[in-house]
Amino acid sequence: MYQLLDGKQTSIAIKDQIANEVRQYTAKGMRPPHLAAILVGDDGASQTYVANKEKSSHEVGFTSSVYRYSSNTSEEELLRAIEFLNDDDEVDGFIVQLPLPKHINEQNVINAISPDKDVDGFTPINIGRMVLGEDAFLPATPMGVCSILEHYNIETEGKHCVVIGRSNIVGTPVANLLSRNKKGANCTVTLCHSRTRNLPEITRQADILVVAIGKQEFVTADMVKPGAVVIDVGIHRVPDETKKNGYHLAGDVKHSEVDSLCSWVTPVPGGVGPLTIVSLLQNTMKAYRKHMSLN
Ligand code: GUN
């Protein structure tokens, strides 16, 4: 019988720890940590993400602010907003919600964020620090994958971890983090992608299978070794007339046939998803401690 890696419960436990830490500081008269977000345009999914980040920030006692810009904002104007937040001593960390409108160069924008406030871990400096194993803000989803494994005391050392997907924000950093010489890592990692040959043959060797390919129900039973730990990072809206909102959510794993093979598996929704915002809160807490010289 498989067991669920419950991201919702894990996120509640970590948020409790953060809220406790915030209370310790505010009880001494210090201001709470402040997470800001820049939101450009009116993309529905982005608005939902930012609203969830605000809600979670408030739950742990952070100050939260959102700077909204219209979709025709120029890159220069956005860069000025970033400069403003870089210089604002009352802001510990901020994110620029992606994607940005097409006329704005995303990499220029990311490069402008101060590495000390880059709580998304998207700047080249933080990515470089991560790869070197230095102290860094880690990207939210990969950090969430590590947090859930750690929360359930899943042994990683010496395990063969197969990652499917090599995106900059999930697959590549997950492969990096799990192969590091650190507690909660030390895996032997294989990174698979669109040009990988004999994919099922490789994924069947995985003790830990991390799926971040962005294709609905891509991983089927024939691709999974019995007893594997399966982490599904995918999230897809599937039209469903029986649901009030008109859709249900599916992952990159075909859970109806894969789950029964697993020792542990993340559900979708309620797996890695809730952990990503928690990672952002953890990074903001870290930025605050550094900013306030607390450690
Ligand atoms: N868009 C989708 N996910 C993310 C994220 O983690 N951070 C930012 N800034 N934008 C996103």
Side-chain angles (χ1 to χ4, degrees), residues 49 53 95-99 120 122 140:
Y49 285 136
K53 285 167 189 169
I95 63 140
V96 180
Q97 185 65 34
L98 304 177
D120 256 335
F122 283 176

PDB file of all heavy atoms in Angstrom, residues 49 53 95-99 120 122 140, ligand 1:
ATOM      1  N   TYR A  49      -1.703  33.313  -8.350  1.00  0.00           N
ATOM      2  CA  TYR A  49      -0.449  33.013  -7.639  1.00  0.00           C
ATOM      3  C   TYR A  49      -0.118  34.124  -6.651  1.00  0.00           C
ATOM      4  O   TYR A  49       0.219  33.874  -5.498  1.00  0.00           O
ATOM      5  CB  TYR A  49       0.733  32.906  -8.616  1.00  0.00           C
ATOM      6  CG  TYR A  49       0.792  31.646  -9.453  1.00  0.00           C
ATOM      7  CD1 TYR A  49       1.083  31.725 -10.814  1.00  0.00           C
ATOM      8  CD2 TYR A  49       0.617  30.393  -8.897  1.00  0.00           C
ATOM      9  CE1 TYR A  49       1.157  30.575 -11.603  1.00  0.00           C
ATOM     10  CE2 TYR A  49       0.695  29.245  -9.675  1.00  0.00           C
ATOM     11  CZ  TYR A  49       0.963  29.339 -11.020  1.00  0.00           C
ATOM     12  OH  TYR A  49       1.043  28.231 -11.799  1.00  0.00           O
ATOM     13  N   LYS A  53       0.219  34.106  -2.599  1.00  0.00           N
ATOM     14  CA  LYS A  53       1.449  34.494  -1.897  1.00  0.00           C
ATOM     15  C   LYS A  53       1.132  35.522  -0.816  1.00  0.00           C
ATOM     16  O   LYS A  53       1.679  35.458   0.291  1.00  0.00           O
ATOM     17  CB  LYS A  53       2.473  35.052  -2.884  1.00  0.00           C
ATOM     18  CG  LYS A  53       3.128  33.967  -3.732  1.00  0.00           C
ATOM     19  CD  LYS A  53       3.892  34.507  -4.919  1.00  0.00           C
ATOM     20  CE  LYS A  53       4.313  33.362  -5.836  1.00  0.00           C
ATOM     21  NZ  LYS A  53       4.838  33.804  -7.126  1.00  0.00           N
ATOM     22  N   ILE A  95       9.531  39.443  -5.467  1.00  0.00           N
ATOM     23  CA  ILE A  95       9.507  38.631  -6.683  1.00  0.00           C
ATOM     24  C   ILE A  95       8.869  39.446  -7.800  1.00  0.00           C
ATOM     25  O   ILE A  95       8.060  40.338  -7.548  1.00  0.00           O
ATOM     26  CB  ILE A  95       8.694  37.336  -6.486  1.00  0.00           C
ATOM     27  CG1 ILE A  95       7.226  37.641  -6.175  1.00  0.00           C
ATOM     28  CG2 ILE A  95       9.259  36.498  -5.342  1.00  0.00           C
ATOM     29  CD1 ILE A  95       6.299  36.709  -6.864  1.00  0.00           C
ATOM     30  N   VAL A  96       9.242  39.145  -9.010  1.00  0.00           N
ATOM     31  CA  VAL A  96       8.552  39.664 -10.184  1.00  0.00           C
ATOM     32  C   VAL A  96       7.810  38.468 -10.766  1.00  0.00           C
ATOM     33  O   VAL A  96       8.435  37.492 -11.195  1.00  0.00           O
ATOM     34  CB  VAL A  96       9.535  40.240 -11.220  1.00  0.00           C
ATOM     35  CG1 VAL A  96       8.777  40.764 -12.434  1.00  0.00           C
ATOM     36  CG2 VAL A  96      10.389  41.333 -10.594  1.00  0.00           C
ATOM     37  N   GLN A  97       6.490  38.522 -10.714  1.00  0.00           N
ATOM     38  CA  GLN A  97       5.710  37.377 -11.184  1.00  0.00           C
ATOM     39  C   GLN A  97       5.908  37.186 -12.687  1.00  0.00           C
ATOM     40  O   GLN A  97       5.796  38.139 -13.460  1.00  0.00           O
ATOM     41  CB  GLN A  97       4.223  37.601 -10.844  1.00  0.00           C
ATOM     42  CG  GLN A  97       3.316  36.425 -11.161  1.00  0.00           C
ATOM     43  CD  GLN A  97       3.623  35.193 -10.317  1.00  0.00           C
ATOM     44  OE1 GLN A  97       4.007  35.287  -9.155  1.00  0.00           O
ATOM     45  NE2 GLN A  97       3.459  34.017 -10.907  1.00  0.00           N
ATOM     46  N   LEU A  98       6.184  35.950 -13.076  1.00  0.00           N
ATOM     47  CA  LEU A  98       6.364  35.598 -14.486  1.00  0.00           C
ATOM     48  C   LEU A  98       5.136  34.804 -14.961  1.00  0.00           C
ATOM     49  O   LEU A  98       4.472  34.197 -14.141  1.00  0.00           O
ATOM     50  CB  LEU A  98       7.635  34.761 -14.651  1.00  0.00           C
ATOM     51  CG  LEU A  98       8.928  35.393 -14.118  1.00  0.00           C
ATOM     52  CD1 LEU A  98      10.082  34.408 -14.280  1.00  0.00           C
ATOM     53  CD2 LEU A  98       9.223  36.696 -14.824  1.00  0.00           C
ATOM     54  N   PRO A  99       4.788  34.785 -16.218  1.00  0.00           N
ATOM     55  CA  PRO A  99       5.490  35.429 -17.334  1.00  0.00           C
ATOM     56  C   PRO A  99       5.201  36.929 -17.420  1.00  0.00           C
ATOM     57  O   PRO A  99       4.187  37.405 -16.909  1.00  0.00           O
ATOM     58  CB  PRO A  99       4.907  34.702 -18.556  1.00  0.00           C
ATOM     59  CG  PRO A  99       3.519  34.294 -18.125  1.00  0.00           C
ATOM     60  CD  PRO A  99       3.617  34.012 -16.649  1.00  0.00           C
ATOM     61  N   ASP A 120      13.012  34.417  -5.054  1.00  0.00           N
ATOM     62  CA  ASP A 120      12.654  33.373  -6.024  1.00  0.00           C
ATOM     63  C   ASP A 120      13.883  32.539  -6.415  1.00  0.00           C
ATOM     64  O   ASP A 120      13.746  31.478  -7.032  1.00  0.00           O
ATOM     65  CB  ASP A 120      12.117  34.014  -7.316  1.00  0.00           C
ATOM     66  CG  ASP A 120      10.604  33.913  -7.431  1.00  0.00           C
ATOM     67  OD1 ASP A 120      10.023  32.995  -6.827  1.00  0.00           O
ATOM     68  OD2 ASP A 120      10.015  34.742  -8.158  1.00  0.00           O
ATOM     69  N   PHE A 122      16.051  33.283  -8.716  1.00  0.00           N
ATOM     70  CA  PHE A 122      16.089  33.257 -10.188  1.00  0.00           C
ATOM     71  C   PHE A 122      17.300  33.987 -10.781  1.00  0.00           C
ATOM     72  O   PHE A 122      17.581  33.847 -11.966  1.00  0.00           O
ATOM     73  CB  PHE A 122      14.823  33.902 -10.778  1.00  0.00           C
ATOM     74  CG  PHE A 122      13.592  33.033 -10.736  1.00  0.00           C
ATOM     75  CD1 PHE A 122      12.361  33.533 -11.155  1.00  0.00           C
ATOM     76  CD2 PHE A 122      13.648  31.714 -10.305  1.00  0.00           C
ATOM     77  CE1 PHE A 122      11.220  32.732 -11.134  1.00  0.00           C
ATOM     78  CE2 PHE A 122      12.516  30.906 -10.275  1.00  0.00           C
ATOM     79  CZ  PHE A 122      11.297  31.427 -10.694  1.00  0.00           C
ATOM     80  N   ALA A 140      11.957  28.025  -5.679  1.00  0.00           N
ATOM     81  CA  ALA A 140      10.869  27.570  -4.806  1.00  0.00           C
ATOM     82  C   ALA A 140      10.448  26.118  -5.029  1.00  0.00           C
ATOM     83  O   ALA A 140      10.316  25.351  -4.065  1.00  0.00           O
ATOM     84  CB  ALA A 140       9.666  28.496  -4.981  1.00  0.00           C
TER      85      ALA A 140
HETATM   86  N1  GUN B   1       5.336  32.117 -12.343  1.00  0.00           N
HETATM   87  C1  GUN B   1       5.071  30.809 -12.116  1.00  0.00           C
HETATM   88  N2  GUN B   1       5.773  30.365 -11.054  1.00  0.00           N
HETATM   89  C2  GUN B   1       6.495  31.410 -10.613  1.00  0.00           C
HETATM   90  C3  GUN B   1       7.402  31.587  -9.529  1.00  0.00           C
HETATM   91  O1  GUN B   1       7.718  30.688  -8.761  1.00  0.00           O
HETATM   92  N3  GUN B   1       7.922  32.826  -9.379  1.00  0.00           N
HETATM   93  C4  GUN B   1       7.624  33.844 -10.217  1.00  0.00           C
HETATM   94  N4  GUN B   1       8.200  35.018 -10.003  1.00  0.00           N
HETATM   95  N5  GUN B   1       6.784  33.732 -11.219  1.00  0.00           N
HETATM   96  C5  GUN B   1       6.217  32.508 -11.412  1.00  0.00           C
END
